Amino acid sequence: MTNQEDTAAGEGAAENRGPTHSGFVALIGATNAGKSTLVNRLVGAKVSIVSHKVQTTRAIVRGIAIHDNAQIVFMDTPGIFKPRRRLDRAMVTSAWGGAKDADLIMLLIDSERGIRGDAEAILEGLKEVFQPKILVLNKIDRVRHEDLLALAAAANEKIAFQETFMVSAVNGSGCDDVMNYLAKTLPEGPWYYPEDQISDLPMRQLAAEITREKLFLRLHQELPYSSHVETEKWEERKDGSVRIEQVIYVERESQKKITLGKSGDAIKAISTASRKELSAILEQPVHLFLFVKVRENWGDDPERFREMGLEFPRG
């Protein structure tokens, strides 16, 4: 679909709503601040994978929500941290690039951790980014109210946030206030996407992300960070089902053994969990076949970066 067709779709979907608003909102924050959980909550559907493993989100994922007359495009960015490897550098660069491309920046801070380490560095970095900014304190159900007020005051001393919100991405507390604010604050203009679209992620890539989530949930303590999933084949069958073949890339033979598990129990559990979720998303039967391949130093392969939607850092 062309940009003109996209615009027409947005205008047609909202022609009876009065003046429409639309814009891109970049969520940035330290790793495991809850950005993906919050995006899924605000969109009202799963568009970004979630796990306890840090740096789960590797590239920008866009989740699209409609609220009142506004289409809000949330950009779930990789967590910002001090990079050590090439992949780390690509992820952090992607996160800051997303912030600079957005109409509005939403800084998410884990209320339990407060302004320490990466969060403090992000606040310093935001001084060089000139888009409007709002502060969102997450996990407020775990912190005393007076501590939340002190945290909000400390963050606002460092950056001139337009508004401060306190939310729980898990139970939804405070999220309506965020949506109401964004709907009236984003620029007036046509919608960018059709009304029923909730993400711009290609289905093949979303399927790979779902499997990667199940991989991390099953093996996050045993399997190192360096694993990657790609959808290699997607076949729509005459009986209404779909056959999907995916490859899990790891860097060493020992990691392959962990991924397969004793008698193949780990890979079976991962496949079953991923297949069930994909069947629900696609609303059709799914036949999922997973293969595990060793590719040493895949984190230095430009092709893998392109598959992830990241720019390959040179040097």
Side-chain angles (χ1 to χ4, degrees):
M1 182 178 286
T2 66
N3 289 336
Q4 288 181 334
E5 289 171 333
D6 281 344
T7 300
E11 289 174 335
E15 61 185 359
N16 296 321
R17 298 176 182 265
T20 57
H21 295 253
S22 60
F24 290 81
V25 178
L27 277 77
I28 69 168
T31 56
N32 276 1
K35 296 185 302 299
S36 296
T37 303
L38 183 59
V39 166
N40 292 339
R41 168 70 65 176
L42 296 177
V43 171
K46 185 169 183 175
V47 295
S48 195
I49 68 171
V50 178
S51 85
H52 298 298
K53 202 173 186 71
V54 298
Q55 294 111 44
T56 299
T57 301
R58 288 178 171 168
I60 292 175
V61 176
R62 293 174 181 85
I64 306 159
I66 305 297
H67 190 79
D68 294 337
N69 289 353
Q71 185 178 73
I72 307 164
V73 185
F74 293 102
M75 303 163 67
D76 182 15
T77 65
I80 297 174
F81 58 104
K82 187 175 182 179
R84 296 192 302 260
R85 302 163 300 171
R86 193 189 299 270
L87 179 58
D88 296 344
R89 297 202 307 274
M91 289 161 55
V92 172
T93 298
S94 175
W96 282 117
K100 292 174 181 177
D101 288 341
D103 295 290
L104 184 146
I105 296 170
M106 181 188 299
L107 172 63
L108 195 65
I109 290 182
D110 181 335
S111 297
E112 287 189 299
R113 284 187 279 174
I115 303 174
R116 295 199 301 260
D118 293 331
E120 185 172 16
I122 294 167
L123 281 166
E124 288 299 315
L126 279 176
K127 294 178 181 179
E128 305 301 319
V129 182
F130 302 107
Q131 279 87 343
K133 307 171 189 68
I134 63 173
L135 172 67
V136 178
L137 303 183
N138 190 25
K139 306 180 185 179
I140 60 171
D141 49 320
R142 303 181 185 180
V143 180
R144 296 185 307 169
H145 185 65
E146 53 267 36
D147 293 334
L148 290 170
L149 294 177
L151 176 57
N156 276 275
E157 284 181 4
K158 295 178 178 292
I159 294 287
F161 291 103
Q162 292 191 336
E163 292 287 343
T164 297
F165 297 92
M166 300 184 183
V167 309
S168 169
V170 172
N171 65 33
S173 175
C175 289
D176 284 345
D177 294 335
V178 175
M179 294 296 283
N180 291 336
Y181 176 83
L182 295 175
K184 69 181 182 182
T185 302
L186 289 175
E188 186 173 320
W191 292 354
Y192 292 98
Y193 299 95
E195 186 172 9
D196 59 351
Q197 187 170 340
I198 62 170
S199 176
D200 70 345
L201 202 63
M203 190 52 66
R204 291 171 65 105
Q205 191 174 341
L206 176 61
E209 287 289 275
I210 294 296
T211 298
R212 187 164 69 91
E213 177 189 62
K214 306 313 176 191
L215 176 70
F216 282 174
L217 290 175
R218 172 81 184 193
L219 301 172
H220 73 276
Q221 291 183 324
E222 300 117 296
L223 190 67
Y225 177 66
S226 50
S227 57
H228 174 54
V229 181
E230 291 182 15
T231 301
E232 289 209 332
K233 292 185 180 179
W234 186 293
E235 179 189 356
E236 298 285 347
R237 305 178 68 171
K238 293 181 179 179
D239 62 2
S241 66
V242 58
R243 176 190 171 95
I244 302 172
E245 295 183 13
Q246 296 178 331
V247 177
I248 300 171
Y249 289 103
V250 295
E251 289 190 317
R252 293 188 292 277
E253 192 66 36
S254 60
Q255 296 170 2
K256 180 177 180 179
K257 291 179 180 178
I258 291 172
T259 305
L260 292 173
K262 187 177 180 180
S263 302
D265 60 340
I267 197 70
K268 289 176 185 175
I270 293 164
S271 178
T272 298
S274 182
R275 177 179 53 77
K276 286 182 178 178
E277 184 157 337
L278 286 170
S279 294
I281 291 173
L282 296 171
E283 298 181 338
Q284 64 185 125
V286 170
H287 306 283
L288 178 63
F289 299 86
L290 300 183
F291 306 90
V292 185
K293 294 184 180 180
V294 177
R295 178 166 288 175
E296 294 184 5
N297 300 318
W298 71 259
D300 294 322
D301 181 358
E303 181 61 29
R304 305 281 75 77
F305 280 70
R306 284 192 289 271
E307 286 287 338
M308 288 185 281
L310 292 171
E311 185 174 339
F312 184 73
R314 299 293 174 179

